[in-house]
Amino acid sequence: MKRLFALLAAAALAVTLSAVAGARSTSAPTMSPGYLTVGFGDPAVNFANGKVRGSNYLNPKGYEVDIATAVATGLGVKPKWIYTPWAKLFAPGHKSFDVSFQEATITAQRKKTVDFTHSYFDANQGVLLSKTAKAPKSIADLKGMQTCAQADTTGLMWIQQKLHPTKAPLIYQTTAAAFVAVQIGRCQAIILDTPIVASEKKARPTRYGPVAAQIITNEKYGAVLQKGSKLLPLVNAQIDKLWKNGTISRLQKKWFNVNFSEIPILK
């Protein structure tokens, strides 16, 4: 009888060890076991807004924060926030994050150096004016204005490759600097993603003129991962689930509550 009990105990222990080993082998391959290291860029109203302290991102809140939290929960890990400069986001080589959410439009050029998840937000380019600028009624009107954009953005790309303005666009390394240029009237019209300029205008309505227009570009935001990351299919599965179960729609209504269809389209 004692021998039987010993055999049963040994079998139970083997099953337990096997289960533990299996759990370890199927856990998400994050850089820090038990944590998903999430990078955010400069604070963006309604997307990810918190205090940056060196490489730390403190108490972030916003749409991308909620999406990242839901992804981490789905992977069975906890989120850990860090600051990731936009200027380094698409650089090849080692990343300090598992995944970064920075309103980054998926493009073929960027996909040469990083991996993108499936889209978690669809957007067009928006036109936010200074308080003294006259609203453009057409692309031709916009072409004669002093435009500005953040470096390495699809907004700047559109200005340079599609608009061909009469005045060279002013280029800033951060969204914050570009928004200041609009506030002081140095820039008449910033070209940046519609949800970003609409959120900025809504948060600080007296500092700007109107969000005068949007330009149809049909862009899709993807979270950024290091090229070849084993996390990619796992994160994609979580984002797909958030679309299917209605979470993404609920979060967009929660954080933006802006009817983008009411913003005029420039042609």
Side-chain angles (χ1 to χ4, degrees):
M1 184 65 71
K2 289 182 179 180
R3 179 176 176 79
L4 177 59
F5 283 142
L7 290 172
L8 291 173
L13 178 60
V15 169
T16 300
L17 291 175
S18 176
V20 170
R24 287 175 179 170
S25 65
T26 58
S27 61
T30 57
M31 58 177 57
S32 297
Y35 291 90
L36 182 71
T37 302
V38 180
F40 297 123
D42 295 322
V45 176
N46 292 335
F47 278 100
N49 200 3
K51 293 184 178 180
V52 177
R53 295 289 184 270
S55 62
N56 296 316
Y57 211 106
L58 307 178
N59 302 316
K61 295 180 180 179
Y63 174 75
E64 289 176 323
V65 180
D66 286 355
I67 292 289
T69 300
V71 168
T73 299
L75 294 176
V77 296
K78 295 180 180 180
K80 180 170 64 173
W81 320 120
I82 66 169
Y83 173 67
T84 307
W86 175 265
K88 298 181 180 179
L89 187 60
F90 306 114
H94 177 73
K95 302 297 183 187
S96 58
F97 53 79
D98 289 308
V99 59
S100 183
F101 290 81
Q102 290 202 47
E103 311 92 64
T105 298
I106 302 168
T107 69
Q109 182 63 34
R110 291 170 176 173
K111 288 175 74 173
K112 292 179 181 179
T113 54
V114 299
D115 279 341
F116 279 100
T117 65
H118 295 166
S119 173
Y120 62 89
F121 198 101
D122 299 341
N124 294 309
Q125 289 298 307
V127 181
L128 175 63
L129 302 182
S130 69
K131 290 193 290 186
T132 58
K134 183 179 179 180
K137 301 299 183 182
S138 65
I139 295 292
D141 289 344
L142 184 61
K143 188 172 184 176
M145 300 177 70
Q146 178 60 71
T147 59
C148 63
Q150 184 182 359
D152 299 320
T153 60
T154 50
L156 178 59
M157 186 184 305
W158 183 84
I159 292 172
Q160 294 174 329
Q161 298 181 5
K162 301 291 186 180
L163 182 62
H164 303 297
T166 56
K167 301 175 184 178
L170 303 176
I171 303 172
Y172 298 92
Q173 292 302 311
T174 66
T175 51
F179 281 136
V180 168
V182 181
Q183 292 172 25
I184 65 177
R186 182 174 296 164
C187 169
Q188 292 180 298
I190 182 173
I191 311 300
L192 194 62
D193 303 27
T194 301
I196 298 177
V197 296
S199 296
E200 176 68 14
K201 168 64 179 179
K202 189 174 182 179
R204 303 172 180 86
T206 62
R207 299 185 185 183
Y208 307 95
V211 178
Q214 60 179 322
I215 300 143
I216 301 300
T217 52
N218 296 315
E219 298 177 40
K220 298 181 181 297
Y221 294 170
V224 174
L225 296 88
Q226 183 167 322
K227 193 71 175 175
S229 173
K230 294 180 179 179
L231 271 174
L232 182 60
L234 302 179
V235 177
N236 274 340
Q238 294 303 316
I239 290 175
D240 291 347
K241 183 171 71 174
L242 296 178
W243 278 110
K244 290 177 183 177
N245 65 20
T247 298
I248 284 181
S249 295
R250 290 193 296 271
L251 291 178
Q252 288 182 355
K253 183 176 181 180
K254 170 187 174 181
W255 286 106
F256 300 101
N257 198 26
V258 174
N259 188 347
F260 299 114
S261 66
E262 293 180 352
I263 301 173
I265 296 172
L266 279 191
K267 296 180 181 179

